[in-house]
């Protein structure tokens, strides 16, 4: 394992598998226990440095750190304009001076975790940066797929939605490819980045053509404001062409699952009856997120610096 | 092979380290396990069904299963077996580095109110046992906890002693004791490696 | 003080002596002697006419913490320049005769290079109505180059009017070619790397579309047009086509676009954030070829000092721009001379003669012959050095070349016969 987890490419296949296996062991070890706490990171300090509002991701990391007995500090810099407030570097150095061993950072600017990692001695975990990556989301998604389908090698995953602005898509493409899955990205052409052809994934504009072959359908959140920038004409047209509704779900294979990183726009990219169906792993994904983040924190912080 | 007394306090540990080389052969290992099984039966008395053998991975786990099988063979009583991975309870992670986790599996009846015997291959500093005790505390509340080890090599760093010892082996701290078991390593064998330099008293 | 420069290779030719007297070159020849002249042994050094930069940000007035006319002038002199065009995006904007005269006067006081103010095309660089271009042209600063640099004059009707209007005083509009609607929030070159890094892309087409539009406009109204910091292969193609059609268009390329690519963005170090952005290797090769064949007329630094807090921050928040004055000649030697694309005469043409012509500077870019103003630079092409940003004369430290070994060393610079740099050290 590298010292930081900044992007999915930081994990080679054995590292990624180690994270998933460790998460599975942690989950098994804690299942049914009254005391859901391990002493592993006692005396270590984890800072959640959140420049964007993301209650679910912050809580997931907070719970993961606390279950490993780390001290957790939540530093919410949300709303503080970077130009007016303390700079990211000053904040980072301050937190380090206070003895943080790891910083979990969520930031609206792509690359902020990379810069942070160049300024601090401790480990940095990217909890989502701009439109770049969100590697622990990809890990929990991979964990969920493996738990449901029993494998990742050769699993066909359709990632559907706003690929252009999605850090979840970027991390999943890289990580799932590393783990041997076959990813097909599906979106209107406006929501792919120029250069997507260089990614280890297939590209399709036709959801109906992709669904029958998919083992996993991962729906991405599509923000309504994309409409005003003419990425697509209307929410209704988007939903009709790229939304997952009961009719489309019916063409999926028997064991196929439906994923969503949340928060969902019910009625936009995913219909309510799909989100609540037995195929949906949305609640499992949340639960798995804690185990996976415990595994990441353990593997980054538990050991000696190599 | 002469039987060793259970639990030799460190003050009475022999001072002369073992010479490098094979310490126990496959048949020695089998004989030692049999003897430890007899000791377990004798000491448990009429509460044998209460007994749970909990192995500390990696090699404590198959050792616990072997012990349980021999106890059952000698006594006719089926013995519950479990494993407890102690990795997340270690206090020396920073020194040893992270490692892949192993299974923690407890018998369906749990460990509350029962006699848990922790099983490990080598007793050295005592830190593994301490971590296992911490892990057990989070898993339940046994009536009592005892310790069985195949080899006690001395050099304790904590006030911990074994209740059942297959073989006491005086060693130099710089030496290492390698236990190999068929389930993990394909062969049963215990070896001492490294020079047998005298420790400063 | 008169100077006798012994054994310099003028434009890389055979060694000759040059006698500098009363601000002019008095004599050029073998074994010159002059009593009372300071003798400068220039054995092994190449002599070029003093370099002229069409594109410098001196930040004064407004951001004196990043650069001043004086510190920027010193950096320029150390880079071998004798004249720099100071861009108009200061605070206040150089859109009146008053501001351009202030900048011009500060340059005169510093006395290290001729600071030639560029006037804004539109009031406040807002792209809405023309600034008083004639007043700036008639001022003491005699402005001939007008630019909203940093902003594109995007309104085609306004651009047409500007092109037409400056004809009255032989001015030129230097266009920052960037279609603004195609570059909203843009952070780096749009391509494989921007897709991977999750940074909003700056498409090459946003530059090329404006250049194509403006060369057609310039031809239509019969005006002179200059294109700032050309960065793409497509732009070179369009310029080549326009010149073949007889359009009176000139163009510049920056040293960084001749050397660096978008791969530099991989670590998210904002020192590599610049506008227009670093492009691909294919673009770099096309720019070098365009500069070599004259499609691109000039090298211009786009020297853009930024305070630490504007660069030591998130990429998206960082100000675009990088230092260039002190390394420009080294980059050109590295990318053009040592690759065989240009000889030293070519370097003199692209870094002195043509930029002086574009800027209508009569005293610069002149041949090194008797009677001409003694604006010249002596460089040691055999030297190599590692760039240390802390050792730069600029007040800022945002050099993209930190830690990079580059060829060449400016040994001396003369401004009208006065050494502004001797032995690699600024003289004031």
């Amino acid at each position: 394992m590298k010292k930081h987890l900044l992007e999915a490419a930081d994990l080679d296949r054995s590292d990624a598998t180690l994270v998933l296996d460790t998460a599975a062991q942690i989950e098994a070890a804690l299942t049914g226990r009254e005391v859901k706490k391990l002493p592993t990171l006692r005396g270590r300090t984890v800072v959640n440095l959140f420049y964007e509002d993301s209650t679910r991701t912050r809580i997931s990391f907070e719970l993961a750190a606390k279950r490993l007995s780390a001290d957790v500090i939540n530093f919410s810099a949300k709303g503080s304009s970077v130009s007016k407030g303390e700079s990211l570097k000053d904040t980072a150095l301050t937190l380090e001076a206070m003895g943080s061993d790891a910083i979990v950072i969520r930031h609206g600017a792509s690359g902020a975790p990379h810069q942070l990692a160049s300024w601090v001695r401790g480990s940095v975990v990217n909890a989502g940066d701009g439109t770049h990556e969100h590697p622990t989301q990809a890990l929990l998604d991979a964990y969920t797929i493996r738990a449901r389908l029993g494998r990742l090698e050769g699993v066909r995953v359709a990632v559907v939605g706003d690929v252009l602005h999605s850090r979840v898509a970027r991390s999943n493409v890289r990580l799932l490819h590393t783990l041997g899955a076959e990813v097909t990205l599906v979106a209107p052409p406006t929501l792919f980045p120029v250069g997507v052809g260089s990614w280890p994934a297939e590209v399709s504009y036709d959801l109906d053509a992709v669904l029958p072959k998919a083992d996993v359908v991962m729906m991405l959140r599509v923000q309504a404001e994309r409409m005003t920038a003419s990425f697509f004409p209307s929410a209704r047209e988007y939903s009709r062409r790229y939304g997952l509704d009961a009719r489309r779900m019916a063409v999926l294979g028997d064991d196929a699952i439906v994923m969503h990183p949340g928060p969902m726009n019910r009625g936009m990219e995913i219909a309510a009856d799909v989100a609540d169906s037995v195929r949906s792993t949305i609640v499992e994904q949340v639960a798995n997120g804690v185990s996976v983040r415990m595994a990441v924190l353990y593997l980054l912080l538990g050991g000696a610096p190599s | 092979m002469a039987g060793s007394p259970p639990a030799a306090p460190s003050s009475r540990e022999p001072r002369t380290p073992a010479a490098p080389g094979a310490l126990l052969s496959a048949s020695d290992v089998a004989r030692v396990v049999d003897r430890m099984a007899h000791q377990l039966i004798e000491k448990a008395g009429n509460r044998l069904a209460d007994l749970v053998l909990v192995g500390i991975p990696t090699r404590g786990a198959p050792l616990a299963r072997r012990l349980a099988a021999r106890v059952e063979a000698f006594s006719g009583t089926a013995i519950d077996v479990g494993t407890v991975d102690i990795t997340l309870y270690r206090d020396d992670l920073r020194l040893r580095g992270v490692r892949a986790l192993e299974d923690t599996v407890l018998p369906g009846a749990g460990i509350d109110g029962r006699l848990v015997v922790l099983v490990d291959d080598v007793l050295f500093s005592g830190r593994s046992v301490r971590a296992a005790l911490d892990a057990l505390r989070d898993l339940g509340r046994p009536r009592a906890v005892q310790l069985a080890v195949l080899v006690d090599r001395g050099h304790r760093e904590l006030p911990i002693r074994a209740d059942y010892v297959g073989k006491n082996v005086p060693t130099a701290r710089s030496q290492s004791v390698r236990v190999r078991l068929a389930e993990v390593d394909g062969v049963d064998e215990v070896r001492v490696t490294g020079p047998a330099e005298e420790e400063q008293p | 003080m008169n100077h006798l420069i012994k054994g310099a290779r003028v434009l890389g030719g055979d060694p000759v002596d040059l006698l500098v007297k009363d601000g002019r070159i008095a004599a050029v020849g073998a074994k010159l002697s002059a009593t009372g002249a300071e003798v400068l042994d220039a054995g092994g050094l190449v002599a070029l006419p003093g370099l002229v930069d069409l594109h410098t940000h001196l930040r004064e007035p407004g951001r004196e913490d990043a650069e001043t006319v004086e510190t920027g002038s010193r950096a320029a002199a150390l880079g071998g320049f004798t004249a720099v065009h100071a861009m108009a995006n200061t605070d206040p904007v150089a859109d009146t005769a008053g501001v351009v005269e202030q900048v011009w006067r500060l340059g005169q006081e510093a006395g290290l290079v001729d600071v030639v103010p560029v006037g804004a095309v539109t009031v406040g660089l807002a792209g809405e109505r023309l600034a008083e271009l004639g007043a700036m042209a008639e001022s003491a600063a005699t402005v001939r180059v007008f630019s909203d640099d940093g902003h594109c004059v995007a309104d085609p009707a306004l651009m047409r009017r500007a092109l037409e209007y400056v004809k009255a005083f032989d001015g030129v509009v230097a266009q920052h070619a960037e279609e603004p609607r195609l570059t909203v929030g843009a952070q780096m070159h749009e391509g494989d790397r921007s897709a991977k890094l999750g940074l909003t892309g700056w498409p090459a087409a946003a530059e090329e579309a404006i250049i194509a539009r403006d060369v057609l406009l310039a031809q239509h109204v019969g005006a002179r047009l200059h294109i700032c910091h050309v960065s793409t292969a497509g732009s070179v193609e369009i310029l080549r086509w326009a010149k073949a059609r007889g359009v009176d268009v000139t163009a510049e390329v920056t040293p960084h676009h001749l050397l660096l690519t978008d791969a530099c963005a991989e670590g998210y170090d904002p020192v590599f954030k610049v506008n227009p952005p670093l492009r691909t290797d294919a673009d770099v090769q096309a720019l070098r070829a365009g500069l070599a064949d004259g499609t691109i007329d000039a090298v211009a630094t786009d020297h853009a000092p930024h305070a630490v807090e504007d660069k030591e921050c998130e990429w998206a928040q960082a100000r675009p721009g990088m230092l260039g004055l002190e390394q420009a000649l080294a980059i050109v030697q590295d990318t053009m001379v040592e690759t065989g694309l240009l000889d030293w005469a070519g370097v003199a043409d692209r870094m002195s003669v043509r930029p002086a012509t574009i800027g209508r500077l009569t005293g610069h870019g002149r041949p090194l012959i008797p009677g001409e103003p003694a604006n010249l630079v002596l460089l040691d092409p055999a030297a190599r050095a590692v760039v240390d940003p802390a050792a730069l004369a600029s007040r800022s430290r945002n050099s993209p070349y930190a830690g990079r070994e580059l060829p060449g060393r400016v040994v001396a610079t003369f401004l009208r016969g006065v050494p502004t740099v001797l032995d690699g050290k600024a003289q004031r």
Side-chain angles (χ1 to χ4, degrees):
Chain A
M1 290 281 287
K2 293 188 177 179
K3 179 179 173 187
H4 309 291
L5 180 57
L6 304 177
E7 55 191 33
D10 287 336
L11 301 168
D12 61 19
R13 191 165 185 152
S14 69
D15 287 339
T17 304
L18 176 62
V19 174
L20 301 187
D21 290 348
T22 302
Q25 294 286 13
I26 288 173
E27 185 184 318
L30 291 181
T31 297
R33 280 173 46 160
E34 284 180 24
V35 184
K36 290 200 185 297
K37 198 160 175 118
L38 296 161
T40 318
L41 297 182
R42 211 170 43 186
R44 303 294 194 105
T45 301
V46 175
V47 176
N48 288 323
L49 178 58
F50 274 56
Y51 284 85
E52 278 185 344
D53 217 1
S54 175
T55 308
R56 65 170 59 209
T57 303
R58 184 184 55 72
I59 288 176
S60 183
F61 269 107
E62 183 174 354
L63 204 51
K66 284 182 169 170
R67 285 190 175 167
L68 290 171
S69 301
D71 294 319
V72 180
I73 295 167
N74 289 313
F75 187 104
S76 175
K78 186 219 158 203
S80 76
S81 155
V82 176
S83 56
K84 289 176 193 162
E86 186 180 45
S87 76
L88 176 61
K89 184 175 183 179
D90 287 338
T91 302
L93 296 181
T94 301
L95 293 172
E96 184 156 87
M98 291 175 178
S100 73
D101 297 293
I103 297 177
V104 176
I105 178 171
R106 160 67 66 100
H107 201 294
S110 300
H114 286 73
Q115 293 174 284
L116 189 64
S118 72
W119 295 326
V120 300
R121 289 187 300 275
S123 290
V124 174
V125 179
N126 181 359
D129 63 327
T131 54
H132 178 225
E133 288 222 21
H134 191 359
T136 59
Q137 176 71 41
L139 283 165
L140 77 87
D141 289 338
Y143 183 88
T144 304
I145 295 169
R146 197 177 72 165
R148 273 279 188 124
L149 304 181
R151 68 201 162 92
L152 285 161
E153 180 74 41
V155 169
R156 290 164 301 187
V157 182
V159 178
V160 186
D162 186 356
V163 176
L164 175 61
H165 300 98
S166 176
R167 49 195 173 209
V168 176
R170 280 175 180 74
S171 287
N172 262 302
V173 165
R174 173 55 59 187
L175 184 75
L176 289 172
H177 173 72
T178 298
L179 290 167
E182 296 164 15
V183 180
T184 301
L185 298 165
V186 187
T190 47
L191 291 178
F192 283 115
V194 167
V196 72
S198 64
W199 294 8
E202 297 291 314
V203 168
S204 171
Y205 308 138
D206 184 352
L207 180 58
D208 290 313
V210 172
L211 285 180
K213 293 172 284 185
D215 301 308
V216 177
V217 184
M218 187 182 295
M219 303 305 295
L220 301 174
R221 178 178 170 79
V222 175
Q223 290 170 328
E225 61 258 33
R226 304 292 175 218
M227 198 170 62
T228 58
S230 291
F231 286 103
F232 48 87
S234 69
R236 191 172 52 195
E237 174 154 329
Y238 181 85
S239 178
R240 197 163 53 225
R241 291 178 63 83
Y242 296 101
L244 190 61
D245 54 14
R247 177 183 65 80
R248 285 203 168 102
M249 190 169 67
V251 309
L252 292 174
D254 291 343
D255 299 325
I257 58 173
V258 174
M259 309 182 73
H260 195 297
M264 287 180 283
N265 291 313
R266 288 174 183 252
M268 179 79 169
E269 72 268 6
I270 190 164
D273 46 356
V274 175
D276 300 331
S277 76
V278 291
R279 293 182 185 279
S280 165
T281 63
I282 293 162
V283 176
E284 285 158 66
Q285 284 171 270
V286 175
N288 293 339
V290 178
S291 302
V292 164
R293 289 174 177 124
M294 287 177 77
V296 167
L297 290 175
Y298 160 64
L299 292 169
L300 291 183
L301 284 182
S306 53
Chain B
M1 168 172 297
S4 309
S10 58
S11 60
R12 283 194 274 130
E13 278 179 14
R15 283 283 177 195
T16 312
L23 197 65
L24 298 178
S25 66
S27 58
D28 293 337
V29 170
R31 204 162 46 239
V32 167
V33 169
D34 280 358
R35 182 169 45 71
M36 292 172 74
H38 281 299
Q39 291 172 342
L40 281 163
I41 293 166
E42 186 181 336
K43 206 161 178 186
N46 59 0
R47 304 186 72 168
L48 196 55
D50 260 4
L51 189 62
V52 186
L53 297 181
V54 175
I56 299 173
T58 305
R59 288 173 186 76
L63 201 55
R65 285 193 293 274
R66 285 194 200 187
L67 274 171
R70 299 314 288 158
V71 169
E72 186 174 345
F74 297 144
S75 68
T77 305
I79 301 297
D80 278 347
V81 182
T83 59
V84 57
D85 182 54
I86 59 167
T87 312
L88 296 171
Y89 290 86
R90 299 201 71 101
D91 62 1
D92 55 358
L93 281 171
R94 290 193 209 207
L95 304 177
R96 297 161 61 103
V98 297
R99 50 186 57 201
L101 306 187
E102 302 202 50
D103 291 335
T104 293
V105 180
L106 293 182
I111 58 172
D112 286 357
R114 303 178 70 179
L115 171 63
V116 170
V117 176
L118 288 169
V119 181
D120 205 356
D121 54 350
V122 178
L123 179 58
F124 185 21
S125 67
R127 288 178 189 274
S128 296
V129 176
R130 197 262 298 271
L133 290 169
D134 287 346
L136 282 182
R137 188 186 55 190
D138 285 349
L139 295 169
R141 191 183 179 286
R143 172 172 59 81
V145 181
Q146 296 178 344
L147 175 63
V149 297
L150 189 65
V151 175
D152 182 348
R153 60 164 296 191
H155 303 290
R156 213 77 72 241
E157 293 165 5
L158 294 167
I160 282 172
R161 64 187 189 91
D163 301 272
Y164 311 93
V165 178
K167 185 167 179 59
N168 280 297
V169 182
T171 57
R173 192 177 283 273
S174 58
Q175 288 181 312
S176 68
V177 176
R178 285 276 166 74
V179 171
R180 300 169 76 196
L181 294 176
E183 295 89 329
V184 179
D185 310 291
V187 62
D188 282 356
E189 183 187 50
V190 179
R191 295 183 73 86
V192 174
T193 59
E197 285 163 20
E198 285 283 347
E199 298 242 322
Q200 293 301 315
Chain C
M1 175 70 73
N2 299 329
H3 293 267
L4 181 58
I5 299 167
K6 301 286 285 182
R9 296 163 49 212
V10 174
L11 305 185
D14 293 331
V16 291
D17 299 347
L18 296 97
L19 178 61
V20 173
K21 193 173 176 183
D22 302 328
R24 294 193 173 265
I25 297 171
V28 178
K31 296 185 176 151
L32 296 183
S33 63
T35 50
E38 184 91 352
V39 176
L40 198 161
D41 177 9
L45 304 187
V46 170
L48 304 176
L51 308 182
V52 176
D53 192 10
L54 279 169
H55 197 141
T56 310
H57 295 276
L58 294 178
R59 300 295 183 224
E60 189 176 3
R63 282 308 296 268
E64 290 82 356
D65 59 323
E67 195 81 287
T68 64
V69 170
E70 185 191 337
T71 57
S73 293
R74 191 170 294 120
L78 287 164
F81 290 88
T82 51
V84 299
H85 287 74
M87 273 298 170
N89 61 338
T90 48
D91 183 14
V93 171
D95 57 2
T96 64
V99 177
V100 294
E101 283 191 352
Q102 182 198 354
V103 172
W104 175 78
R105 190 169 38 74
L106 287 167
Q108 294 291 305
E109 286 169 7
L112 286 152
V113 292
D114 285 346
V115 173
V116 185
V118 173
V121 177
T122 66
V123 175
L125 309 175
E128 287 168 1
R129 56 196 175 90
L130 292 182
E132 290 188 347
L133 308 179
M136 291 188 272
E138 289 167 10
S139 74
T142 58
V143 176
R144 290 294 176 272
V145 180
F146 298 90
S147 181
D148 275 3
D149 180 62
H151 301 269
C152 183
V153 181
D155 179 338
L158 189 62
M159 183 62 182
R160 172 196 170 146
R161 298 297 174 225
L163 287 167
E164 288 175 312
Y165 192 80
V166 300
K167 285 162 68 177
F169 32 85
D170 197 22
V172 63
V173 176
Q175 176 69 296
H176 172 115
E178 175 183 359
E179 165 50 52
R181 291 287 298 143
L182 288 174
T183 54
V184 175
Q187 298 294 330
M188 68 174 293
H189 172 67
E190 183 166 45
D192 291 355
R193 286 207 170 80
S194 63
K196 171 176 176 287
L197 296 173
L199 291 170
T200 306
W202 200 127
E207 173 175 306
E208 295 154 5
I210 293 294
I211 296 176
R213 183 198 76 176
D214 287 355
V215 295
L216 295 174
L217 283 174
Q219 183 172 44
H220 180 62
V221 301
R224 215 151 61 89
L225 168 68
H226 180 72
I227 304 296
C228 296
H229 42 51
V230 169
S231 70
T232 79
S235 297
V236 178
E237 285 293 302
I238 294 164
L239 288 164
R240 196 172 278 128
W241 172 85
K243 287 191 166 188
R245 273 171 65 114
V247 180
D248 192 2
V249 60
T250 55
E252 69 192 33
V253 62
T254 70
H256 47 269
H257 286 111
L258 290 172
L259 179 67
L260 306 175
T261 69
D262 61 346
C264 294
E266 293 273 0
Y268 295 97
D269 183 345
V271 79
F272 296 108
K273 178 174 172 176
V274 64
N275 192 16
L278 301 175
R279 304 284 184 185
T280 67
D281 191 54
D283 293 306
V284 167
Q285 299 308 323
L287 292 168
R288 291 182 185 183
L291 183 63
D293 70 18
T295 302
I296 296 172
D297 302 84
V299 174
T301 66
D302 197 4
H303 177 83
H306 285 297
V308 170
E309 64 270 23
D310 290 326
K311 280 292 189 182
E312 241 178 29
C313 60
E314 297 85 334
W315 179 283
Q317 270 88 37
R319 303 279 303 273
M322 39 184 65
L323 299 184
L325 283 170
E326 291 174 72
Q327 271 67 50
L329 190 52
I331 303 295
V332 170
Q333 182 181 339
D334 187 44
T335 60
M336 301 300 294
V337 178
E338 298 194 348
T339 55
L341 291 168
L342 278 184
D343 56 16
W344 288 111
V347 173
D349 182 66
R350 307 298 196 277
M351 296 190 78
S352 179
V353 178
R354 289 217 221 179
T357 305
I358 293 165
R360 299 296 191 251
L361 304 181
T362 51
H364 294 271
R366 303 296 303 165
L368 297 181
I369 56 175
E372 294 290 349
N375 295 319
L376 62 97
V377 54
L378 299 171
L379 73 125
D380 177 4
R384 297 191 74 86
V386 175
V387 178
D388 172 12
L392 297 178
S394 172
R395 185 160 279 187
S396 293
R397 294 287 169 263
N398 56 307
S399 171
Y401 313 115
R404 189 184 284 266
E405 189 185 271
L406 291 172
R409 172 174 178 264
V410 171
V411 175
T413 309
F414 286 81
L415 176 63
R416 282 184 289 280
V418 177
T420 54
V421 173
L422 277 180
D423 195 21
K425 294 178 183 62
Q427 296 302 293
R428 53 190 294 184

